[in-house]
Amino acid sequence: MRVLIVGGSGFLGGELIRLCAGLGHVVGATRFSGPAGGGASPAEWFPVDVRSRAAVAEVVGGFRPDVTINAAYRASDWATTADGAAHVAAAVARSGGRLVHVSSDAVFSGDAHSYDETCPPDPVNPYGAAKAAAETAVRALVPGAAIVRTSLIVGGGSTHEAFVRALATGSASGVLFTDDVRCPVHVADLAAALLELAERDLPGVHHVAGPEAVSRYELGLLIARRDGLPEERLRPGLRATAGVRGPLAVRLDCSATRRRLQVRLRGASEFLKPTRS
């Protein structure tokens, strides 16, 4: 199978490349900036700015993927997150093949106790609005696409873990919010679920996150315990009083998607459990 990873130089994109290549798929990957993997990379790399409709169409049309997985975004850039998703969807609609689009729990306000796959977006900040607009464009252009809403992505190279380590070692200052609740997912679980949705051609909206809702502070404590870092250096705080725009508690109900998937989605307390004796 020919798989194109849009946003291949990102954290999730790198995991998708390793997974797809390990399974024997022919992998192409796009990057706007960052390393292209060098000569040892298992992917064929394409420098692409997804804000350019023509550039995206050229790569998709030239590579001719059976599956395109769009993991590209920029939290502060509407053109990359929303317009870029529309450009990818338009290119897939023209060239053919399946599309898996990675969305976010940021499309929700957090006003409800939980959100299942039937809940419409009600974003409260620009990033969530861009992700919601991207979903609309993808559904309109590729009705058979899989749209995957996920949560905090955790793994060895995640920004969340890096920030916790920086706080615990004193190389950064700040707090971890106790009122900002999410359902963290391990990057390997998420990548495997995305590929399964692509291989089985399962369309529609899917929620792919861990079954355990934890605050960013609780997540930080789990990371510190796993890595043997001093927990007392992690200071709790409130997002509601910090002036940081965005939803607070967003709990993704993934039960419908989990019943369809063979991949098992682990909770944070499981995949962050210390392995040392």
Side-chain angles (χ1 to χ4, degrees):
M1 186 167 70
R2 296 177 65 82
V3 183
L4 178 65
I5 311 300
V6 180
S9 58
F11 178 49
L12 174 59
E15 183 66 26
L16 284 165
I17 291 170
R18 287 188 290 273
L19 175 63
C20 292
L23 292 172
H25 299 306
V26 177
V27 184
T30 76
R31 62 182 177 91
F32 175 67
S33 61
S41 174
E44 179 181 358
W45 285 93
F46 304 96
V48 174
D49 184 342
V50 296
R51 296 172 296 182
S52 168
R53 186 184 182 98
V56 173
E58 180 179 357
V59 169
V60 174
F63 188 72
R64 306 295 295 186
D66 300 298
V67 171
T68 299
I69 302 177
N70 181 21
Y73 77 97
R74 277 187 171 183
S76 59
D77 185 0
W78 177 281
T80 296
T81 304
D83 296 345
H87 296 159
V88 172
V92 172
R94 183 181 306 109
S95 297
R98 299 188 290 278
L99 173 62
V100 177
H101 173 76
V102 181
S103 189
S104 168
D105 58 6
V107 301
F108 297 121
S109 67
D111 291 343
H113 178 266
S114 65
Y115 296 87
D116 65 19
E117 289 85 350
T118 67
C119 293
D122 63 337
V124 294
N125 68 354
Y127 173 62
K131 278 294 193 181
E135 289 188 10
T136 298
V138 168
R139 279 195 300 268
L141 293 166
V142 186
I147 296 173
V148 179
R149 295 172 182 151
T150 191
S151 190
L152 296 181
I153 306 173
V154 181
S158 74
T159 57
H160 314 293
E161 289 167 283
F163 183 54
V164 169
R165 284 191 288 270
L167 291 175
T169 57
S171 61
S173 60
V175 300
L176 295 170
F177 298 131
T178 59
D179 57 347
D180 188 337
V181 176
R182 296 294 188 273
C183 298
V185 63
H186 195 281
V187 64
D189 296 351
L190 175 57
L194 293 171
L195 187 58
E196 181 182 341
L197 290 168
E199 290 175 333
R200 294 174 57 193
D201 194 13
L202 297 176
V205 176
H206 307 271
H207 285 184
V208 178
E212 187 177 0
V214 299
S215 70
R216 289 182 185 263
Y217 178 69
E218 291 169 325
L219 180 63
L221 292 178
L222 289 171
I223 293 168
R225 289 166 190 161
R226 182 201 61 185
D227 294 345
L229 299 171
E231 300 174 34
E232 63 274 10
R233 290 189 177 179
L234 304 181
R235 296 191 297 113
L238 292 175
R239 181 169 184 160
T241 60
V244 180
R245 296 178 64 189
L248 293 179
V250 181
R251 299 173 177 87
L252 289 184
D253 180 347
C254 306
S255 53
T257 298
R258 282 201 300 268
R259 287 193 294 269
R260 302 181 74 183
L261 288 177
Q262 296 174 2
V263 171
R264 189 171 74 86
L265 302 172
R266 297 167 291 167
S269 61
E270 179 180 353
F271 63 71
L272 290 173
K273 184 177 180 180
T275 57
R276 63 189 181 280
S277 57

